Amino acid sequence: QVQLVESGGGLVQAGGSLRLSCVASGTIFRLNTMSWYRQAPGKQRELVASITSDGSTNYADSVKGRFTISRDNAKNTVYLQMNSLKPEDTAVYYCKASRALVYWGQGTQVTVSS
């Protein structure tokens, strides 16, 4: 079965940085589009960033210039480098793999204090 496991979440002060990781197993990783979503309490889940199999990236306007998505196909891993964090970035961050089917990770909590 396909599994996605996120890590790297935690508590950080405003202006700080975190690096999230998502390790995939049970799939041909290099063929998947990989994405990061987030969901804050009482809000809809929203796309944060995505990266295609060819390396093309896309970002939500709210994180452009602050977050960077990247992938290492040899390690079956996608990363989200988050800099200049704001309290508004507080959410559970989820990893998604998509191709013919869609798979979700369990999420990792990011909390940004004032």
Side-chain angles (χ1 to χ4, degrees):
Q1 293 184 356
V2 174
Q3 283 193 305
L4 305 175
V5 180
E6 302 98 329
S7 63
L11 176 64
V12 65
Q13 294 187 47
S17 298
L18 285 173
R19 188 196 193 203
L20 306 183
S21 299
C22 172
V23 180
S25 62
T27 186
I28 305 174
F29 181 81
R30 63 180 178 84
L31 300 180
N32 289 280
T33 291
M34 302 299 298
S35 304
W36 287 98
Y37 286 72
R38 66 186 182 187
Q39 188 166 25
K43 295 186 176 181
Q44 296 289 315
R45 187 172 297 186
E46 64 174 348
L47 175 67
V48 176
S50 64
I51 183 166
T52 69
S53 60
D54 292 331
S56 179
T57 58
N58 184 58
Y59 298 93
D61 288 342
S62 59
V63 306
K64 285 181 179 177
R66 299 189 298 121
F67 291 10
T68 303
I69 188 171
S70 62
R71 67 193 297 161
D72 186 338
N73 290 339
K75 296 181 178 179
N76 289 356
T77 302
V78 63
Y79 305 94
L80 185 67
Q81 178 67 47
M82 304 186 294
N83 299 325
S84 301
L85 282 162
K86 304 174 181 179
E88 304 94 279
D89 297 317
T90 297
V92 177
Y93 284 71
Y94 297 92
C95 180
K96 186 180 82 171
S98 58
R99 187 159 57 92
L101 298 175
V102 178
Y103 300 93
W104 289 92
Q106 81 290 347
T108 184
Q109 176 69 49
V110 171
T111 303
V112 185
S113 63
S114 300

